[in-house]
């Protein structure tokens, strides 16, 4: 009887389960191939920089990646992947409690830091607990995979050269993606500023690495990945890319002027004349495609921190992958013509070099001009000695300065002034950064330059040039004239992406003392000026012209102030003279009254004498 009752109960429970199955957990839902690779990349990179045994170099971590990808290739659910990864981490070896995992004794910078994904709802509780344990007991000490440059910028270490990497193997093609994505994830100071979420970059790029059918496709995928970091320091070029062909040129340079592709300089006079190209010509179409659209389609392969830098690269990238000759539509003086243009390798162009440029000049008695691309430290004392009596000094930084900013600032600043703060990676807690260090310029100088300082900038003002601007901006009276700068600041970290194919990135964070960025933002002009089509045709430097206009306004203001002060001084002098004259008059009157005869006052001297006698 009891057996029957037990059977009946179990049967009823079975029926209940059939009719009321619980909804499947998210982690039990189907696992796509992209998601499997995505989470493998993130866990692999996390363990590489956090797990005490992995970080010590106990394993061939690239080989582990290949084996994990192969072993998990048939997994269908997140739960399967989670269970496997939890066992994988367990089998790496026991992790001892970390007694030195304390917060860094510095001001933390956490905009790049996010390990919340380790507690994702798609993971099993066991995997979440395991990953949290790795974080709390992370590796401390001399890391096998982390090197440091001279100022603590990140440099990968002990990465196998992989010269025999087989790009035809799907899993091996993912190696540079896994490596580079985690370099940026944990050690790029400006990760939080990338145009696209860095997680989304990984999801987007996995299919592109998987889909590569040729070596060129593979190299283009790596180039596109590097471009995603939005850093003008982060270039990438390989012999394969150069043979696309990548470098194809017209004998005339063109730039983005008023949202049009305008020829701004003749490179090879003879070849440009043969093609009938002139400064001011507007390139409208290339092979029946809008030149602007062609440029936009290439942007995924053009590295740069902002649009100004990507537009600066036009001359190098417009004909990327295009064999000449090309059919082009050219507009000149309102008329349009279609012509065939020959493309050249840069080495085949005869560039007419100009003579040496003056390091500094005096456009007027009150204005000095300094070409920062030519000036060297040894010139600074003489230059400033000649320009200290000027009302305005214009520093042209639309070039690559040569380390003169500190020497110049000693003449421009009345005291030592902090002009920059740094963030550097916290290598004890990868992904975190710390405010560590600052730089100052100037010095105690009561005889500092008290006139107006004008800085000229544009898209060619990059990296050290922007650093120079930050220093010179600390002078008491500064105006920045020009357009958006390159927005690329910080010591360059250079490393191999794979094999001997090198890339780079800005290795430390550089900020104004108030914490505001220059990366991607650049040096913001006080007066915004860009070249115009008319100015290009007329051969004018409109940025310098505006600076001269500002300088003349300053001179006029100072002259007006001087004349007003002179007039006031004159009026004050007249008032003083009038006061002195009145005082002299009053003194004369007093003197006359004291010396007049008594009889002239109409007083009876006798009566006086009699009165005196009575007393």
């Amino acid at each position: 009887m009891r057996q029957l009752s037990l059977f009946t109960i179990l049967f009823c429970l079975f029926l209940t389960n059939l009719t009321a199955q619980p909804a499947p957990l998210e982690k039990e839902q189907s696992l796509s191939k992209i998601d499997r690779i995505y989470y493998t990349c993130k866990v692999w990179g996390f363990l590489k920089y956090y797990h005490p045994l992995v970080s010590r170099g106990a394993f061939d971590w690239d080989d582990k990646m290949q084996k994990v990808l192969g072993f998990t290739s048939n997994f269908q659910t997140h739960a399967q992947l989670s269970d496997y990864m939890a066992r994988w981490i367990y089998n790496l070896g026991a992790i001892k409690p970390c007694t030195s995992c304390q917060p860094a004794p510095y001001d933390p910078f956490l905009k790049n830091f996010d390990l919340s994904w380790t507690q994702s709802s798609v993971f099993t509780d066991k995997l979440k607990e395991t990953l949290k344990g790795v974080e709390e007991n992370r590796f401390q000490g001399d890391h096998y995979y982390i090197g440091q440059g001279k100022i603590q910028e990140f440099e990968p270490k002990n990465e196998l050269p992989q010269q025999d990497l087989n790009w035809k193997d799907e899993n091996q093609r993912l190696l540079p993606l896994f490596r580079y994505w985690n370099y940026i994830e944990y050690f790029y100071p400006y990760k939080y500023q990338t145009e696209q979420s860095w997680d989304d970059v990984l999801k987007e790029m996995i299919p592109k690495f998987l889909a590569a059918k040729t070596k060129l496709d593979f190299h283009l995928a790596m180039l596109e990945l590097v471009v995603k970091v939005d850093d003008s320091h982060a270039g990438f070029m390989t012999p394969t890319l150069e043979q696309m062909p990548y470098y194809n040129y017209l004998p005339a340079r063109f730039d983005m002027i008023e949202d049009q592709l305008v020829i701004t300089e003749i490179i090879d006079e003879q070849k440009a004349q043969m093609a009938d190209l002139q400064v001011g010509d507007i390139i409208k179409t290339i092979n029946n495609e809008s030149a602007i659209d062609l440029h936009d389609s290439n942007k995924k392969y053009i590295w740069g921190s902002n649009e100004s830098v990507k537009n600066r690269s036009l001359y190098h990238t417009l004909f990327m992958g295009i064999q000449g000759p090309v059919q082009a539509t050219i507009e000149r003086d309102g008329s349009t013509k279609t012509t065939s243009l020959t493309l050249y390798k840069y080495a085949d162009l005869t560039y007419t070099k100009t003579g040496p440029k003056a390091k500094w000049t005096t456009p007027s008695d009150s204005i000095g001009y300094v070409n920062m691309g030519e000036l060297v430290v040894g010139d600074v004392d003489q230059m400033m000695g000649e320009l200290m009596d000027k009302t305005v000094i214009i520093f042209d930084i639309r070039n690559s300065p040569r380390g003169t900013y500190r020497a110049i600032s000693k003449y421009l600043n009345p005291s030592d002034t902090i002009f920059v703060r740094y963030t550097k990676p916290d290598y004890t807690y990868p992904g975190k950064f710390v405010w560590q260090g600052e730089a100052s310029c100037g010095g105690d100088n009561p005889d500092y330059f008290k006139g107006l300082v004008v800085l000229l900038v544009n898209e060619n003002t990059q990296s050290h040039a922007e650093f120079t601007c930050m220093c010179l901006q600390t002078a008491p009276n500064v105006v920045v004239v020009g357009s958006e700068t390159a927005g690329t600041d910080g010591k360059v970290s250079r490393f191999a992406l794979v094999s001997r194919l090198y890339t780079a990135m800005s290795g430390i964070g550089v900020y104004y003392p108030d914490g505001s960025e220059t990366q991607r933002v650049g040096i913001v002009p006080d007066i915004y000026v860009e070249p115009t089509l008319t100015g290009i045709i007329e051969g004018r430097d409109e940025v310098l012209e505006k600076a001269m206009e500002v300088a003349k306004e300053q001179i006029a203001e100072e002259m007006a102030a001087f004349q007003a002060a002179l007039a006031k001084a004159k009026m004050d002098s007249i008032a003083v003279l009038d006061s002195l004259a009145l005082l002299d008059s009053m003194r004369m009157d007093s003197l006359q009254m004291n010396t007049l005869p008594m009889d002239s006052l109409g007083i009876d001297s006798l009566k006086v004498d009699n009165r005196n006698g009575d007393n």
Side-chain angles (χ1 to χ4, degrees):
M1 185 73 176
R2 287 196 302 200
Q3 290 180 347
L4 178 62
S5 299
L6 180 60
F7 175 82
T8 303
I9 293 171
L10 292 174
F11 183 75
C12 291
L13 289 173
F14 175 73
L15 291 177
T16 302
N17 287 335
L18 285 178
T19 57
Q21 286 290 339
L25 298 175
E26 182 179 357
K27 62 194 173 194
E28 293 178 338
Q29 295 173 354
S30 62
L31 176 71
S32 71
K33 181 176 182 179
I34 303 304
D35 282 344
R36 175 177 61 83
I37 296 173
Y38 166 81
Y39 285 113
T40 300
C41 177
K42 290 174 74 77
V43 172
W44 177 85
F46 172 76
L47 296 176
K48 180 176 182 178
Y49 297 118
Y50 272 76
H51 194 287
L53 295 176
V54 179
S55 300
R56 193 174 292 124
F59 308 98
D60 182 343
W61 205 235
D62 293 342
D63 182 63
K64 289 287 186 183
M65 166 210 158
Q66 306 291 316
K67 290 179 178 177
V68 168
L69 286 174
F71 193 87
T72 61
S73 61
N74 294 321
F75 284 5
Q76 300 297 314
T77 68
H78 289 279
Q80 284 180 300
L81 184 64
S82 292
D83 289 340
Y84 171 79
M85 287 189 167
R87 292 195 304 273
W88 175 38
I89 297 170
Y90 175 81
N91 290 329
L92 291 174
I95 299 176
K96 297 179 181 179
C98 178
T99 59
S100 59
C101 292
Q102 303 299 323
Y106 305 107
D107 186 12
F109 181 91
L110 302 176
K111 289 185 178 181
N112 292 309
F113 182 73
D114 183 11
L115 289 181
S116 62
W117 65 269
T118 64
Q119 305 303 302
S120 171
S121 60
V122 303
F123 291 160
T124 60
D125 291 341
K126 181 61 176 177
L127 179 57
K128 287 190 284 188
E129 179 184 345
T130 301
L131 294 175
K132 191 64 178 176
V134 173
E135 177 188 354
E136 293 174 347
N137 299 285
R138 61 195 173 275
F139 178 75
Q140 305 288 289
D142 184 14
H143 203 292
Y144 185 76
Y145 293 108
I146 298 174
Q148 298 182 41
K150 292 181 179 179
I151 56 173
Q152 296 179 284
E153 72 276 17
F154 169 72
E155 293 179 353
K157 186 174 68 172
N158 291 321
E159 300 285 22
L160 297 177
Q162 295 291 345
Q163 293 180 357
D164 58 346
L165 182 143
N166 180 12
W167 68 265
K168 296 180 181 179
D169 182 279
E170 183 179 277
N171 288 343
Q172 288 196 43
R173 282 202 304 275
L174 292 171
L175 178 61
L177 172 61
F178 275 42
R179 281 183 178 176
Y180 186 77
W181 190 88
N182 282 289
Y183 293 161
I184 302 302
E185 173 74 1
Y186 293 105
F187 305 110
Y188 181 51
Y190 303 116
K191 185 188 75 170
Y192 71 99
Q193 283 187 290
T194 56
E195 193 74 19
Q196 187 178 4
S197 157
W198 197 239
D199 261 18
D200 289 344
V201 168
L202 180 56
K203 293 174 183 176
E204 179 184 336
M205 294 307 301
I206 289 170
K208 295 187 178 185
F209 274 79
L210 293 176
K213 302 300 182 185
T214 66
K215 188 175 183 179
L216 176 59
D217 291 339
F218 175 50
H219 284 228
L220 283 173
M222 289 191 287
L223 172 59
E224 188 174 351
L225 172 65
V226 170
V227 168
K228 294 283 190 182
V229 82
D230 298 317
D231 187 349
S232 301
H233 283 151
F236 183 68
M237 187 49 55
T238 72
T240 300
L241 292 174
E242 291 175 2
Q243 295 168 10
M244 284 186 58
Y246 186 84
Y247 292 113
N248 281 326
Y249 296 91
L250 289 180
R253 180 180 174 84
F254 45 88
D255 293 282
M256 188 73 75
I257 306 294
E258 297 178 356
D259 297 323
Q260 302 181 97
L261 271 62
V262 178
I263 292 180
T264 56
E265 180 186 4
I266 300 301
I267 301 296
D268 188 314
E269 292 280 357
Q270 183 177 3
K271 291 182 175 63
Q273 187 174 5
M274 291 170 53
D276 189 25
L277 295 175
Q278 297 180 14
V279 169
D281 286 352
I282 303 171
I283 304 174
K284 306 294 287 187
T285 67
I286 300 293
N287 291 339
N288 297 318
E289 181 179 357
S290 163
I292 297 294
D293 290 346
L294 180 59
H295 172 52
D296 288 343
S297 68
N298 284 339
K299 280 184 180 177
K300 65 181 179 180
Y301 299 127
I302 304 173
W303 57 84
S305 299
N306 53 39
E307 283 298 300
S308 294
V309 178
K310 295 196 174 190
N311 290 340
R312 183 185 72 186
S313 301
L314 263 168
Y315 181 59
H316 300 283
T317 59
L318 185 66
F319 299 106
M320 179 177 177
I322 298 177
Q323 294 280 9
V326 296
Q327 296 300 308
T329 303
I330 306 291
E331 180 182 316
R332 179 186 301 165
D333 298 329
S335 299
T336 302
K337 67 172 183 177
T338 300
T339 185
S340 177
L341 297 177
T342 301
L343 301 179
Y344 301 90
K345 292 298 181 183
Y346 198 77
D348 296 330
L349 297 175
T350 303
Y351 186 80
T352 304
K353 294 184 179 180
T354 58
K357 297 179 180 178
K359 296 180 179 180
W360 69 89
T361 59
T362 51
S364 76
D365 291 340
S366 301
I367 302 173
Y369 168 85
V370 182
N371 184 338
M372 293 290 282
E374 300 293 330
L375 192 76
V376 297
V377 174
D379 299 323
V380 172
D381 289 342
Q382 180 184 349
M383 179 269 293
M384 289 303 301
E386 294 181 16
L387 303 184
M388 281 293 287
D389 64 341
K390 305 303 178 188
T391 303
V392 181
I393 302 179
I394 300 170
F395 293 93
D396 195 338
I397 318 180
R398 298 171 295 174
N399 45 45
S400 299
R402 305 173 71 177
T404 54
Y405 64 97
R406 288 190 187 278
I408 294 172
S409 70
K410 292 180 180 179
Y411 287 91
L412 304 184
N413 291 58
S415 60
D416 189 68
T417 306
I418 295 172
F419 72 96
V420 69
R421 296 180 69 197
Y422 302 112
T423 62
K424 298 178 182 179
D426 179 358
Y427 294 110
T428 69
Y429 213 138
K432 290 187 176 183
F433 285 72
V434 291
W435 290 105
Q436 189 176 9
E438 57 192 24
S440 62
C441 61
D444 293 333
N445 180 13
D447 298 322
Y448 68 94
F449 176 72
K450 297 177 177 64
L452 176 65
V453 173
V454 181
L455 309 180
L456 307 188
V457 301
N458 66 5
E459 68 278 1
N460 294 316
T461 307
Q462 176 172 316
S463 195
H464 180 69
E466 291 171 301
F467 198 75
T468 298
C469 286
M470 295 173 75
C471 170
L472 300 188
Q473 278 182 299
T474 61
N477 191 10
V478 180
V479 174
V480 180
V481 178
S483 55
E484 184 179 39
T485 66
T488 311
D489 228 337
K491 178 72 167 61
V492 179
S493 294
R494 184 173 182 267
F495 49 86
L497 185 59
V498 68
S499 302
R500 293 182 179 178
L501 306 179
Y502 283 84
T503 184
M505 68 182 186
S506 301
I508 63 171
V510 175
Y511 300 82
Y512 282 108
D514 65 359
S516 57
E517 295 98 344
T518 55
Q519 188 76 7
R520 302 206 69 198
V521 178
I523 305 299
V524 179
D526 299 300
I527 301 174
Y528 198 89
V529 183
E530 280 189 317
T532 65
L533 178 59
T534 300
I536 293 295
I537 294 173
E538 295 176 357
R540 294 160 43 208
D541 185 342
E542 293 165 280
V543 176
L544 180 57
E545 287 177 358
K546 186 62 179 180
M548 293 295 292
E549 180 184 323
V550 170
K552 290 174 182 178
E553 289 174 357
Q554 177 73 15
I555 294 168
E557 288 177 7
E558 290 200 7
M559 183 60 70
F562 174 76
Q563 291 174 344
L566 186 62
K568 184 178 184 302
K570 183 176 180 181
M571 294 300 295
D572 291 345
S573 298
I574 292 173
V576 170
L577 291 174
D578 287 345
S579 298
L580 290 174
L582 178 61
L583 180 61
D584 286 344
S585 174
M586 293 174 65
R587 287 175 177 172
M588 287 300 295
D589 291 344
S590 174
L591 180 61
Q592 289 172 3
M593 289 182 68
N594 292 334
T595 58
L596 283 175
M598 293 297 289
D599 291 345
S600 67
L601 297 177
I603 301 174
D604 189 337
S605 59
L606 180 60
K607 290 181 179 179
V608 172
D609 290 340
N610 290 338
R611 187 172 62 247
N612 290 339
D614 291 341
N615 290 337

